Amino acid sequence: QHVAGMPQNEHIEQAQKRHGRRLDHYERLRKKEARRPHALADKARKMHGLKAKLYHKERHAEKVQMKKTLKMHQEKQSKVKKDDAVPEGAVPAYLLDREGQSRAKVLSNMVKQKRKEKAGKWAVPLPKVRGMGEDEVFKVVRTGKSRRKGWKRMVTKATFVGEDFTRKPPKYERFIRPMALRFKKAHVTHPELKATFHLPLIGVKKNPQSPMATSLGIITKGTVVEVNVSELGLVTQGGKVVWGKYAQVTNNPELDGCINAVLLV
């Protein structure tokens, strides 16, 4: 019985329910899935220009994420020497050259790092900051032939974008971060040394205004940023050189034209 006005996909579903699928349906699906990586590689080879750059960046991020996930699940076996006392009495000749060893599972470094980050809660120099509305942080950019569309936003605050940052194609870029308000370095004061250093920024850890401000790399007063402190020569208790450390921004960068921050120690 034909039902008038039924959407096309429902006809297909109805036919599948009545007559089942093709005999080789699942085999074709399997083959299609097996061909997918080849098709993607082919696509990647043929792309060029800005589109290719964005596509490769996306694929690279996927691969990195997959490797990280695999590494996280991989618990390696490690041999640890036992400091037990030497057993009493004679030891067979074939055991003389073998020191006591015990096997232990080593959690991957990534998991350890995450635990450290969760544990690290600091008393920050500016515990409270003034809240900012979205209209203060973003300016609406009108687009379209007659300037009727208003989905684009211009960031009016200081921002940080990474070294390998590539803009989206300007036509489709929703959040525009002006070059004049992008910063690469900050004046960081060490509270114990009572000295200020001009250090490169690594990233924005947390902007108290909103998670979106954090992901866009917006820097306002009270933002916690990560800075490269390798030139200060700080070392951990284990003797390793500290590379990145967090600092809190204490001024309004968009008004001053520079970022002043205090190192969290």
Side-chain angles (χ1 to χ4, degrees), residues 57-245:
K57 197 174 176 184
E58 198 179 302
R59 279 195 73 179
H60 179 254
E62 278 174 21
K63 283 180 184 174
V64 168
Q65 196 53 49
M66 192 186 287
K67 279 186 181 171
K68 277 185 180 173
T69 311
L70 289 172
K71 195 177 173 189
M72 200 169 77
H73 290 302
Q74 204 175 37
E75 288 189 341
K76 294 199 178 89
Q77 294 273 355
S78 81
K79 291 179 179 177
V80 184
K81 284 185 184 176
K82 277 185 185 169
D83 294 329
D84 298 347
V86 180
E88 289 284 322
V91 177
Y94 61 87
L95 287 180
L96 280 172
D97 61 336
R98 191 184 296 179
E99 287 177 338
Q101 286 181 337
S102 73
R103 285 186 171 272
K105 277 201 170 179
V106 178
L107 275 170
S108 72
N109 288 342
M110 215 168 95
V111 180
K112 283 183 191 167
Q113 193 60 36
K114 278 191 177 162
R115 283 183 188 167
K116 271 185 198 165
E117 278 176 19
K118 275 185 186 168
K121 295 269 183 270
W122 308 276
V124 287
L126 297 174
K128 282 188 179 178
V129 287
R130 180 182 70 83
M132 289 179 187
E134 203 169 288
D135 52 344
E136 191 181 340
V137 181
F138 303 113
K139 183 183 127 205
V140 178
V141 177
R142 295 270 162 208
T143 53
K145 201 170 180 182
S146 53
R147 300 283 172 266
R148 269 189 301 201
K149 293 174 180 152
W151 56 274
K152 284 192 179 186
R153 298 284 179 271
M154 173 91 75
V155 178
T156 59
K157 303 290 172 193
T159 56
F160 169 78
V161 296
E163 282 292 310
D164 55 348
F165 170 71
T166 312
R167 278 182 70 181
K168 282 194 173 73
K171 185 179 176 183
Y172 305 111
E173 188 176 35
R174 179 152 188 231
F175 294 103
I176 302 160
R177 288 170 274 192
M179 290 289 291
L181 283 170
R182 290 187 200 169
F183 286 83
K184 286 183 179 175
K185 289 196 160 191
H187 301 120
V188 183
T189 304
H190 196 298
E192 288 165 13
L193 298 176
K194 297 281 187 289
T196 304
F197 306 92
H198 197 210
L199 303 174
L201 291 164
I202 297 172
V204 175
K205 174 70 179 165
K206 187 163 174 59
N207 187 321
Q209 302 301 340
S210 70
M212 187 167 77
T214 307
S215 62
L216 284 171
I218 296 170
I219 301 171
T220 52
K221 193 172 182 174
T223 303
V224 175
V225 293
E226 195 174 359
V227 289
N228 187 346
V229 292
S230 53
E231 62 187 69
L232 300 191
L234 300 175
V235 289
T236 60
Q237 288 159 336
K240 286 185 181 174
V241 176
V242 178
W243 186 64
K245 234 172 164 19

Side-chain angles (χ1 to χ4, degrees), residues 24-37:
D24 59 350
H25 172 74
Y26 293 103
E27 183 63 13
R28 283 164 68 103
L29 264 189
R30 183 188 65 75
K31 284 184 178 175
K32 190 177 181 183
E33 196 54 40
R35 279 196 303 266
R36 196 167 157 269

